[in-house]
Amino acid sequence: MTTYQQLAITRFGEPAVLAMQTQPLPALADDLALLDDQVLVKVVYAGVNPIDAKTRAGLGWAAAQNKDKLPWVPGYDIAGEVVASCEAAGRWSAGDRVSGFIGFPLQGGGYSEYVAVPAEQLSLVPASVPLRQAAALPLAGQTAWQALEKAAVNAGDQVLVLAGAGGVGHLAIQLAVARGAKVFASCSAGNADFVRQLGATALDYRQGPLDVQLKDADVLIDLMGGDVGIGALGCVKAGGRVVTVPTITAEQVCKQARQRGLLAEGMLVTPSVMQNDAMMAMLAAGTLRLHIDAVYPLVDGATAHQAIESGHTRGKIVLAVGGDA
């Protein structure tokens, strides 16, 4: 029986608690243990997201629900090739290049050389889109898309995106610009040119409070939360809209926003193949840019977590799981 490798959270704590583990892979034949509509994917790249690191540290709902199920394999973004599928998953054939936002929020499983995925959770990756980009897109892209929808961003709106150079932020800028909004984004001086190239006006958070640099924004997309998110509320005009993404501080940010007369909501992303397909087409057409900051081997997942926890990554981080394709 063939085996395959996974990177698992062995206990909650620092990045060093991540460890490789070996699992058996059934023969790829009639005895393949796939459920009704599942597809077996050989993972080539897996996206790394802040929620992975928070769960590993024991923070948030996914950690609370999985605390008695360790070791647990994190990872919600994958891209790779179909190896096998059951008859009910007839759309997919061996060799198809696919991407998906999988196992969210309790199953995870993306940090793995192979993963069985419900067929309806997968998108076809166009030939012109590298698999590393396809793996980096789903969670971050759909978070950005849904935050803008929840905030009802329209043409002519002034939109402030916090952490504009980050994984979600750099996609949110582009999607907001595509809606016709005038976009401002907080970032460091070192990321100012990057943010401008995406179509936003860069606001260097080290050059003073954001609410001094910008007034009367219609919308705040808060990707930072906590004191940073609360401090940015002063940038938004009365009656403006706030969507805050970090779930741990959402209640706190929304309470402060409402006291200022703002419309405020927290959000938890919901996987959407339709949105993934749409953004995949944008990547293929060159109308959406996805920046990969670093690629780490699966065995170096702890280093990838250290990088994402630094708060200074530009764009996305991915794990190379099964080689390039």
Side-chain angles (χ1 to χ4, degrees):
M1 181 174 289
T2 305
T3 61
Y4 66 101
Q5 298 293 305
Q6 299 177 317
L7 184 66
I9 298 169
T10 58
R11 65 184 188 280
F12 295 136
E14 296 299 316
V17 304
L18 292 167
M20 299 296 291
Q21 65 181 24
T22 301
Q23 297 291 335
L25 183 71
L28 304 183
D30 293 338
D31 60 344
L32 181 63
L34 291 177
L35 300 178
D36 293 337
D37 65 344
Q38 285 188 320
V39 174
L40 185 67
V41 178
K42 183 181 187 299
V43 179
V44 179
Y45 290 99
V48 178
N49 293 289
I51 189 174
D52 302 347
K54 290 177 182 176
T55 303
R56 187 217 71 237
L59 303 174
W61 191 61
Q65 296 299 308
N66 284 297
K67 63 183 175 64
D68 296 324
K69 301 175 183 178
L70 303 180
W72 183 78
V73 179
Y76 301 112
D77 288 337
I78 63 160
E81 295 184 353
V82 172
V83 173
S85 61
C86 66
E87 290 185 7
R91 174 187 174 188
W92 302 111
S93 301
D96 286 344
R97 302 167 79 245
V98 293
S99 163
F101 183 2
I102 67 165
F104 185 80
L106 294 182
Q107 290 179 307
Y111 292 11
S112 181
E113 291 181 329
Y114 290 89
V115 64
V117 182
E120 70 273 10
Q121 293 183 7
L122 296 172
S123 296
L124 184 67
V125 178
S128 61
V129 176
L131 283 181
R132 64 177 59 187
Q133 291 209 345
L137 177 67
L139 191 155
Q142 290 166 52
T143 300
W145 182 301
Q146 291 170 33
L148 296 175
E149 282 195 339
K150 189 175 284 287
V153 171
N154 294 307
D157 281 341
Q158 290 198 100
V159 177
L160 171 60
V161 176
L162 298 187
V168 176
H170 87 293
L171 296 172
I173 288 171
Q174 296 172 78
L175 294 172
V177 169
R179 286 172 173 245
K182 180 175 176 55
V183 183
F184 299 82
S186 69
C187 63
S188 66
N191 283 321
D193 285 343
F194 174 69
V195 162
R196 292 187 194 105
Q197 290 167 11
L198 301 175
T201 298
L203 303 179
D204 183 353
Y205 58 82
R206 293 193 179 101
Q207 294 302 310
L210 292 176
D211 59 1
V212 174
Q213 300 184 57
L214 177 66
K215 298 288 187 182
D216 295 329
D218 298 287
V219 173
L220 169 64
I221 303 298
D222 172 25
L223 303 176
M224 294 292 292
D227 291 342
V228 176
I230 291 171
L233 296 174
C235 301
V236 186
K237 68 183 183 183
R241 291 102 70 195
V242 176
V243 172
T244 182
V245 172
T247 56
I248 294 175
T249 60
E251 183 176 349
Q252 177 187 13
V253 172
C254 287
K255 179 179 179 180
Q256 293 288 329
R258 291 168 186 145
Q259 289 176 354
R260 293 169 175 262
L262 306 176
L263 303 173
E265 290 185 82
M267 68 161 279
L268 180 67
V269 64
T270 301
S272 167
V273 172
M274 179 277 292
Q275 292 168 8
N276 204 49
D277 287 345
M279 287 182 285
M280 202 74 67
M282 293 173 71
L283 286 178
T287 55
L288 183 68
R289 173 183 172 188
L290 197 157
H291 181 79
I292 304 292
D293 190 62
V295 180
Y296 296 90
L298 182 62
V299 70
D300 289 341
T303 305
H305 274 221
Q306 289 171 349
I308 205 161
E309 287 180 316
S310 74
H312 298 298
T313 56
R314 177 185 291 183
K316 289 298 304 287
I317 291 175
V318 298
L319 296 174
V321 179
D324 208 345

